Amino acid sequence: MNDHIMNKSKRWMHLNARPLDLERFRYHFENGSKEAVIEALEAYQNEDGGFGHGLEADCFNPNSAPIQTWVATEILWEIKMIEPDCSIVKGILKYLASGADFDGITWSNTVPSNNQYPRAYWWTHNPQENQQENYNPTVALAGFGLMCSKKTDEFYQKCANLVTSAIEALLHTDTCDEMHTLACFVRMTEYCRYANITDLYDIEYIEQVLREKILACITQDTSTWSTGYVCKPSQFIRSKESVYYETLKEIAEFECGFIKESQQEDGTWSINWDWLGYEEEFHIAKNWWRADVIIKNLLYLNAIENS
């Protein structure tokens, strides 16, 4: 990655990013600290241990929600701060184990209180539509629970049961083929590998199933990448060490070129979606997303081109 790309994004981040994303940027590219990221992340955590307050930038709901809490787990994984004794991790496990926003099968993808706050239309809670089983973000949260709790804990067994049910759905239905859900399955398997959890399922077989589904899911028509909300390799892989890299190598390397060519003059990348409402708040959210995309694109370039 050349310095020009980094410097343009660096300037934008220091002028525009919210504190959490600036600390993430500093950690990855300016010798910042994990502790500073954690301190900024804690501002989004509620007393029940869950996360809200627009951490997932498409919903301004301050109340705890599984999808907002999932974003917190993604950031913790990003900076490899996943020690069970970490207070922020303990809070997440408390929230997930409490039964809040859990219907006995999955943690809810949307929550009723979303409807009281500015949001993208897809985070509107509709009880009839939301009755279908949705393993986004449940399977990733269950994997996080497995990684961070003890095998003797009741919550560990709850998470093990959730993962088993999710794998059944992955293997025998097409309800898990959507890109965000597949990404949650990928993360779950990464958590299990990290924690050396090998007794729940045949991890290599599941990775082969995911490999085939991921290949089918990625938008092969790259002419649509600039204008559409599409599925790209970076949805699933963040480095050459990924078990999916060799399968996706050609298009993964193409994405590096795409990222470099599509950076805008101000150092950001375009946000190719719309809330279809709450236009003023969406302008704020777009800036939050620009910062997140900058971090992920620069990390991807470093990992694929320089590793």
Side-chain angles (χ1 to χ4, degrees):
M1 177 174 60
N2 65 50
D3 291 340
H4 184 59
I5 291 173
M6 171 62 75
N7 289 337
K8 286 199 298 183
S9 290
K10 176 180 177 179
R11 179 180 179 84
W12 189 94
M13 290 293 295
H14 279 270
L15 290 173
N16 297 282
R18 57 183 177 176
L20 170 61
D21 298 319
L22 183 56
E23 293 302 342
R24 290 167 63 203
F25 183 87
R26 285 173 168 161
Y27 170 71
H28 290 297
F29 307 111
E30 298 180 335
N31 296 314
S33 69
K34 292 183 180 182
E35 291 72 23
V37 178
I38 291 296
E39 183 177 354
L41 182 59
E42 284 174 338
Y44 297 85
Q45 191 169 32
N46 293 314
E47 288 188 9
D48 63 4
F51 283 76
H53 307 282
L55 181 59
E56 203 286 353
D58 281 330
C59 185
F60 283 16
N61 188 355
N63 299 292
S64 295
I67 200 72
Q68 302 275 358
T69 304
W70 165 80
V71 175
T73 64
E74 287 288 291
I75 293 172
L76 293 171
W77 179 249
E78 175 187 290
I79 66 171
K80 292 299 182 284
M81 179 64 88
I82 45 180
E83 290 83 357
D85 292 334
C86 174
S87 62
I88 207 166
V89 173
K90 287 181 177 179
I92 290 172
L93 297 183
K94 181 181 78 169
Y95 166 69
L96 295 177
S98 71
D101 306 312
F102 184 74
D103 64 8
I105 301 174
T106 60
W107 283 288
S108 301
N109 184 259
T110 66
V111 295
S113 57
N114 282 0
N115 295 0
Q116 302 171 30
Y117 300 94
R119 64 199 178 277
Y121 67 89
W122 52 86
W123 292 134
T124 297
H125 183 72
N126 184 324
Q128 292 181 333
E129 291 182 3
N130 300 136
Q131 283 178 350
Q132 295 181 337
E133 289 181 15
N134 188 342
Y135 285 102
N136 169 24
T138 288
V139 70
L141 291 175
F144 186 86
L146 290 174
M147 177 175 62
C148 295
S149 58
K150 298 177 181 178
K151 287 191 174 183
T152 54
D153 293 346
E154 182 179 343
F155 182 60
Y156 181 95
Q157 189 56 54
K158 174 180 178 177
C159 291
N161 292 339
L162 288 173
V163 166
T164 300
S165 297
I167 287 174
E168 284 297 305
L170 177 74
L171 294 177
H172 302 298
T173 75
D174 59 2
T175 60
C176 302
D177 291 356
E178 186 270 336
M179 66 178 177
H180 298 96
T181 307
L182 286 177
C184 286
F185 274 90
V186 168
R187 184 68 76 237
M188 180 274 293
T189 60
E190 290 174 340
Y191 288 153
C192 287
R193 281 198 177 276
Y194 183 87
N196 197 30
I197 299 169
T198 60
D199 58 341
L200 293 181
Y201 60 94
D202 184 340
I203 192 166
E204 292 185 356
Y205 173 66
I206 295 303
E207 286 172 344
Q208 180 56 37
V209 171
L210 288 172
R211 188 175 289 110
E212 294 170 1
K213 289 180 177 290
I214 287 168
L215 192 58
C217 189
I218 287 176
T219 304
Q220 300 293 330
D221 181 3
T222 57
S223 67
T224 66
W225 285 17
S226 296
T227 57
Y229 187 68
V230 299
C231 183
K232 301 189 288 290
S234 57
Q235 184 82 28
F236 309 107
I237 64 174
R238 299 291 172 85
S239 75
K240 290 181 178 179
E241 282 68 49
S242 167
V243 297
Y244 309 106
Y245 175 72
E246 286 302 321
T247 301
L248 304 176
K249 182 177 180 179
E250 183 176 348
I251 198 165
E253 292 177 352
F254 175 88
E255 186 174 357
C256 289
F258 171 80
I259 289 171
K260 290 185 285 188
E261 291 171 7
S262 59
Q263 186 187 36
Q264 301 177 126
E265 275 306 306
D266 66 354
T268 66
W269 282 266
S270 62
I271 303 302
N272 295 332
W273 63 90
D274 198 299
W275 284 11
L276 302 182
Y278 299 104
E279 292 302 321
E280 184 175 343
E281 290 85 358
F282 180 56
H283 283 303
I284 297 170
K286 282 175 76 172
N287 251 19
W288 296 350
W289 280 119
R290 287 185 180 106
D292 185 67
V293 171
I294 283 173
I295 294 166
K296 289 175 178 174
N297 279 350
L298 296 181
L299 286 174
Y300 185 81
L301 288 176
N302 271 348
I304 302 301
E305 290 197 327
N306 300 336
S307 61

